[in-house]
């Protein structure tokens, strides 16, 4: 019997809201993540895809307790079966958990990048090895972030994240600013880390590149997951998928003719009742106005009562 892989990261019924002031100094909470559940196993890459504003980066911030002070979270986040609270996150981040942020502004502007990458837990030899791997000239280690191009800064961030032997990697858009060859090499490096037992949560817009390395893909829409399926189903095309938004997402890819979907993603403060995709769905009916839980279907999971 095949050994069941350990679940490294488990997120159940996550909600994230931000306190904000409206007219007349009335404070209210704007919920931007709703009933979001996903997990990543050891040895697996889970790619998270979806349109801008769907909540992908907020997911990363919530998992690692990096959201601003006006954020409120609910639900459960576990790392290797134990709650990943603020204290546990501070203990593991940079050691067992690696984070590759979307913005290169995470680099310390007052510290040379070589020292930032080697940090507390790494070595100069390992830093130079990674810089060579990511085609960063040796003199790069003596430069400050403002002296780097956007692509170089991105590669410095990636080098710092994989300096040690992480068990969990959360990469938030790690490939913008990289040419296709370097982006693919970066994702292949994640694949090697996963093959060695790490779990990788890959948040990306480069879905075509993710097809080459991911094991499963989670589709985000309006702050929640609407489908999780094996990558092979996405390669097969829309008929192998379950949720109508996933099908539309595939239709909009360049190789499929950029076929647009009428309508827009709903604003977090004006969400429809029940299914968040209902206003854009040809199958919508009264039954879509109730609660729509995730359910297992054909080897994946989907949040749609009409999916077959």
């Amino acid at each position: 019997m095949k050994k069941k892989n350990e679940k490294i990261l488990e997120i159940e019924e996550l909600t994230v809201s931000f306190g904000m002031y409206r007219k007349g100094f009335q404070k209210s909470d704007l919920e931007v993540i709703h009933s979001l559940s996903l997990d990543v196993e050891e040895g697996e890459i889970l790619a998270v895809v979806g349109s801008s504003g769907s909540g992908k980066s907020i997911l990363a911030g919530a998992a690692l307790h990096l959201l601003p002070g006006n954020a409120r979270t609910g639900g459960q986040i576990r790392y290797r079966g134990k709650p990943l609270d603020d204290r546990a996150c501070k203990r593991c981040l940079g050691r067992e958990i690696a984070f590759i942020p979307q913005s290169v502004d995470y680099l310390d502007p007052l510290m040379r990048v070589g020292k930032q990458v080697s940090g507390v837990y790494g070595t100069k030899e390992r830093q130079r090895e990674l810089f060579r791997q990511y085609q960063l000239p040796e003199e790069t280690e003596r430069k400050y972030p403002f002296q780097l191009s956007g692509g170089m800064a991105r590669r410095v961030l990636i080098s710092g994240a994989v300096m040690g032997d992480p068990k969990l990697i959360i990469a938030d858009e790690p490939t913008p600013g990289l040419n296709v060859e370097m982006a693919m090499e970066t994702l292949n490096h994640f694949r090697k880390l996963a093959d060695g037992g790490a779990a990788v949560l890959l948040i990306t817009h480069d879905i075509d590149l993710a097809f080459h390395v991911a094991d499963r893909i989670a589709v985000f829409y309006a702050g929640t997951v609407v489908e999780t399926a094996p990558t092979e189903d996405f390669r097969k095309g829309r008929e192998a998928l379950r949720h109508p938004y996933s099908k539309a997402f595939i239709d909009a890819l360049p190789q499929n003719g950029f076929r647009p979907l009428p309508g827009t993603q709903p604003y977090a403060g004006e969400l429809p009742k029940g299914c968040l995709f209902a206003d854009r769905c040809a199958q919508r009916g009264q039954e879509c106005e109730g609660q729509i839980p995730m359910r297992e279907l054909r080897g994946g999971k989907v949040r749609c009562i009409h999916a077959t």
Side-chain angles (χ1 to χ4, degrees):
M1 181 180 294
K2 182 180 177 180
K3 179 184 175 183
K4 189 175 181 179
N5 289 344
E6 177 188 7
K7 289 185 178 180
I8 302 298
L9 178 67
E10 298 173 88
I11 298 175
E12 293 184 3
E13 295 296 313
L14 176 68
T15 62
V16 178
S17 60
F18 292 93
M20 56 186 295
Y21 287 94
R22 299 184 184 275
K23 292 181 180 179
F25 298 101
Q26 293 181 339
K27 188 176 182 180
S28 62
D29 288 334
L30 182 68
E31 188 174 283
V32 295
I33 296 287
H34 335 280
S35 302
L36 189 155
S37 298
L38 56 77
D39 59 73
V40 194
E41 298 180 351
E42 60 178 333
E44 177 185 47
I45 296 179
L46 174 69
V48 172
V49 302
S51 61
S52 297
S54 57
K56 302 185 300 297
S57 293
I58 294 176
L59 165 65
L64 298 175
H65 297 267
L66 297 175
L67 296 178
N70 67 327
R72 291 188 177 89
T73 61
Q76 296 191 21
I77 302 174
R78 292 188 294 274
Y79 170 66
R80 307 189 78 173
K82 297 181 180 180
L84 186 59
D85 55 22
D86 187 55
R87 183 177 179 181
C89 196
K90 288 179 179 178
R91 183 178 67 251
C92 295
L93 192 58
R95 297 183 181 182
E96 295 181 35
I97 300 177
F99 177 47
I100 302 174
Q102 185 178 57
S103 173
V104 297
D105 291 340
Y106 272 76
L107 290 171
D108 187 338
L110 303 179
M111 183 184 295
R112 298 181 194 274
V113 296
K115 187 174 181 180
Q116 291 190 55
V117 170
S118 58
V120 178
Y121 311 114
T123 65
K124 179 63 70 175
E125 291 73 19
R126 174 63 174 159
Q127 172 253 301
R128 287 177 174 171
E129 175 189 344
L130 287 168
F131 275 21
R132 287 193 295 270
Q133 179 177 339
Y134 287 108
Q135 299 178 22
L136 291 166
E138 186 173 339
E139 61 269 19
T140 304
E141 66 182 38
R142 297 186 293 275
K143 293 185 176 182
Y144 291 93
F146 77 90
Q147 296 175 298
L148 306 179
S149 67
M152 292 176 71
R154 176 71 54 190
R155 283 176 274 164
V156 167
L157 280 173
I158 296 169
S159 299
V162 300
M163 167 64 70
D165 183 25
K167 304 302 180 188
L168 171 64
I169 300 168
I170 297 180
D172 186 6
E173 297 287 358
T175 55
L178 305 182
N179 60 41
V180 174
E181 180 182 353
M182 182 57 64
M184 198 65 242
E185 182 175 339
T186 299
L187 296 186
N188 282 332
H189 191 188
F190 292 160
R191 182 70 264 170
K192 291 178 182 177
L193 291 168
D195 291 342
V200 181
L201 181 65
L202 173 63
I203 299 170
T204 182
H205 277 101
D206 291 331
I207 188 170
D208 286 326
L209 296 182
F211 282 167
H212 293 283
V213 297
D215 298 286
R216 290 186 298 143
I217 293 178
V219 181
F220 270 40
Y221 185 80
T224 195
V225 177
V226 296
E227 178 170 358
T228 304
T231 304
E232 183 60 29
D233 289 355
F234 286 83
R235 294 195 194 102
K236 290 176 181 177
R238 69 186 328 272
E239 297 307 317
L241 299 174
R242 298 150 190 80
H243 198 280
Y245 177 68
S246 301
K247 298 174 185 286
F249 191 82
I250 290 296
D251 287 344
L253 294 178
Q255 63 267 34
N256 296 326
F258 288 110
R259 282 177 284 180
L261 175 68
T264 58
Q265 184 173 252
Y267 170 61
E270 300 173 353
L271 296 177
K273 294 181 180 179
C275 177
L276 301 178
F277 185 69
D279 289 347
R280 305 173 74 185
C281 183
Q283 296 177 288
R284 67 182 180 273
Q286 283 190 328
E287 64 276 15
C288 300
E289 296 180 3
Q291 186 176 7
I292 313 293
M294 289 287 282
R295 61 187 176 96
E296 295 187 6
L297 179 66
R298 293 191 283 110
K301 293 183 179 181
V302 64
R303 192 185 299 273
C304 176
I305 60 176
H306 295 294
T308 59

